[in-house]
Amino acid sequence: MRAVVYTRYGPPEVLRLQEVEKPVPKENEVLIRIHATTVNRTDCGFRRPEYGWIIRPIHGFFRPRKKILGSELAGEIEAVGKDVMRFRVGDQVFGLSASSFGAHAEYLCLHENASIARKPANLSFEEAAAVCDGLMLGFTYIKAIDFGAAKDILVNGASGSIGTACLQLAKHYGGTVTAVCNTKNIELMGKLGADRVIDYTKTDFTRDGWQYDVVIDAVGKSSFFRCRRLLKPGGVYFSTDLGFLGQNIFLPMLTPIYGSRKVKFPLPKDSMEDVIFFKELIEAGHYRAVIDRRYPLEEIVEATRYVETGQKTGNVVITLG
């Protein structure tokens, strides 16, 4: 089968398309023929050498242990192990392979209880591939919010994969959302339900004068110290990034001591139950996939370069014939 392989950390050019052995499912696994996947921030973070102090202890100090990236997928079950009960051959599925990667390939084996579910009936394979990573990460923060007490929410980076998920989920749970994005995405923010939009190319959102119960930095380009003035007393700051010198790991322990405004940094964890919830949310019409560009598997280096510009809107999808 064809797969995109990398054997050393480095720029997008370390990725190369080659033939590798097609996997065979174990007794409790399913073999998925992948129709679409994505390039996302997680893929780039595990490939780039500058994140070595975080990644290499678990992913390989000198070279990557898992040589095929790709954590989002949509495809069709081609074979099942003899003990599999949840799926049948021919089922269309979507989901995540966040811990083992491997979706930048034509085939992937996953345990039947992995973070996969039957594909939403109202999404194409490309759309289904483009929802779970952003939703999983966004849901990590949104489910930590008490919407009975916290209504006013600002999402910085609201046009990205995680940001569009945070925006839509917050609206689903009854929040009033201010979205921060660039000029080209203002109209999209309105379509996704934003109550108010700030164009960061024209206005510094940290000096906007409004205050919020929750600030979510979905792109990791701000900080608690810059956003503190935006928070109401008792307000909470979330970031999807570790921050300078890993400050967002330590601030959740320190901020409750020194003031009423707090930092929370919940750790994401994907699950089968969450993917099933995402399917129900999508089929009920409460969530839409946002796709910026589509690339064939052969052009994954170009796709990765584009993702690393930091200017993508929503998701970048990789299609497999």
Side-chain angles (χ1 to χ4, degrees), residues 58-123:
I58 58 174
H59 197 58
F61 277 103
F62 302 107
R63 59 183 61 86
R65 293 192 185 99
K66 301 181 190 302
K67 296 178 172 56
I68 302 174
L69 292 168
S71 60
E72 293 180 277
L73 62 109
E76 186 174 349
I77 303 266
E78 185 168 289
V80 298
K82 65 181 183 62
D83 295 334
V84 170
M85 302 293 291
R86 285 186 64 214
F87 299 102
R88 299 178 180 178
V89 172
D91 283 346
Q92 297 181 351
V93 297
F94 81 128
L96 288 163
S97 178
S99 59
S100 58
F101 291 103
H104 290 169
E106 291 181 310
Y107 293 91
L108 175 66
C109 285
L110 290 175
H111 193 285
E112 68 164 329
N113 292 325
S115 300
I116 53 175
R118 287 174 178 82
K119 181 177 72 66
N122 54 341
L123 292 190

Side-chain angles (χ1 to χ4, degrees), residues 189-248:
M189 298 297 95
K191 290 179 179 179
L192 295 181
D195 299 282
R196 183 169 171 263
V197 183
I198 298 174
D199 182 347
Y200 70 76
T201 68
K202 299 178 180 178
T203 303
D204 181 352
F205 75 93
T206 66
R207 298 181 179 274
D208 185 52
W210 287 52
Q211 284 195 310
Y212 306 89
D213 299 301
V214 176
V215 171
I216 303 174
D217 183 5
V219 285
K221 292 184 177 180
S222 190
S223 70
F224 169 68
F225 301 104
R226 286 193 65 214
C227 295
R228 188 177 183 278
R229 76 184 73 188
L230 297 175
L231 292 170
K232 299 176 183 178
V236 179
Y237 173 83
F238 294 94
S239 179
T240 62
D241 191 80
L242 293 173
F244 180 66
L245 297 178
Q247 62 180 292
N248 291 325

Side-chain angles (χ1 to χ4, degrees), residues 4-263:
V4 176
V5 175
Y6 79 121
T7 56
R8 61 184 176 90
Y9 300 108
E13 289 73 22
V14 301
L15 302 169
R16 65 182 188 276
L17 185 65
Q18 66 181 55
E19 288 289 327
V20 301
E21 187 175 355
K22 181 179 176 180
V24 177
K26 299 176 182 176
E27 289 86 351
N28 54 9
E29 291 183 337
V30 296
L31 175 67
I32 303 170
R33 180 185 178 191
I34 296 175
H35 289 273
T37 180
T38 65
V39 175
N40 57 39
R41 197 168 83 176
T42 304
D43 299 319
C44 296
F46 271 76
R47 192 209 73 248
R48 295 169 65 177
E50 54 263 45
Y51 293 105
W53 70 277
I54 305 171
I55 300 302
R56 295 195 187 200
I58 58 174
H59 197 58
F61 277 103
F62 302 107
R63 59 183 61 86
R65 293 192 185 99
K66 301 181 190 302
K67 296 178 172 56
I68 302 174
L69 292 168
S71 60
E72 293 180 277
L73 62 109
E76 186 174 349
I77 303 266
E78 185 168 289
V80 298
K82 65 181 183 62
D83 295 334
V84 170
M85 302 293 291
R86 285 186 64 214
F87 299 102
R88 299 178 180 178
V89 172
D91 283 346
Q92 297 181 351
V93 297
F94 81 128
L96 288 163
S97 178
S99 59
S100 58
F101 291 103
H104 290 169
E106 291 181 310
Y107 293 91
L108 175 66
C109 285
L110 290 175
H111 193 285
E112 68 164 329
N113 292 325
S115 300
I116 53 175
R118 287 174 178 82
K119 181 177 72 66
N122 54 341
L123 292 190
S124 66
F125 283 115
E126 293 178 9
E127 291 169 326
V131 293
C132 280
D133 184 69
L135 264 172
M136 181 267 293
L137 293 166
F139 194 44
T140 298
Y141 310 105
I142 295 299
K143 66 185 178 184
I145 299 170
D146 177 6
F147 281 90
K151 292 291 187 181
D152 295 321
I153 297 167
L154 179 138
V155 180
N156 181 34
S159 60
S161 175
I162 304 171
T164 54
C166 288
L167 167 54
Q168 293 182 79
L169 286 168
K171 290 301 299 179
H172 174 69
Y173 286 108
T176 299
V177 181
T178 296
V180 181
C181 66
N182 59 17
T183 307
K184 72 173 183 176
N185 290 313
I186 290 175
E187 183 179 353
L188 172 65
M189 298 297 95
K191 290 179 179 179
L192 295 181
D195 299 282
R196 183 169 171 263
V197 183
I198 298 174
D199 182 347
Y200 70 76
T201 68
K202 299 178 180 178
T203 303
D204 181 352
F205 75 93
T206 66
R207 298 181 179 274
D208 185 52
W210 287 52
Q211 284 195 310
Y212 306 89
D213 299 301
V214 176
V215 171
I216 303 174
D217 183 5
V219 285
K221 292 184 177 180
S222 190
S223 70
F224 169 68
F225 301 104
R226 286 193 65 214
C227 295
R228 188 177 183 278
R229 76 184 73 188
L230 297 175
L231 292 170
K232 299 176 183 178
V236 179
Y237 173 83
F238 294 94
S239 179
T240 62
D241 191 80
L242 293 173
F244 180 66
L245 297 178
Q247 62 180 292
N248 291 325
I249 298 176
F250 305 107
L251 287 174
M253 296 179 282
L254 298 175
T255 49
I257 301 172
Y258 296 106
S260 67
R261 297 166 177 85
K262 300 175 178 63
V263 175

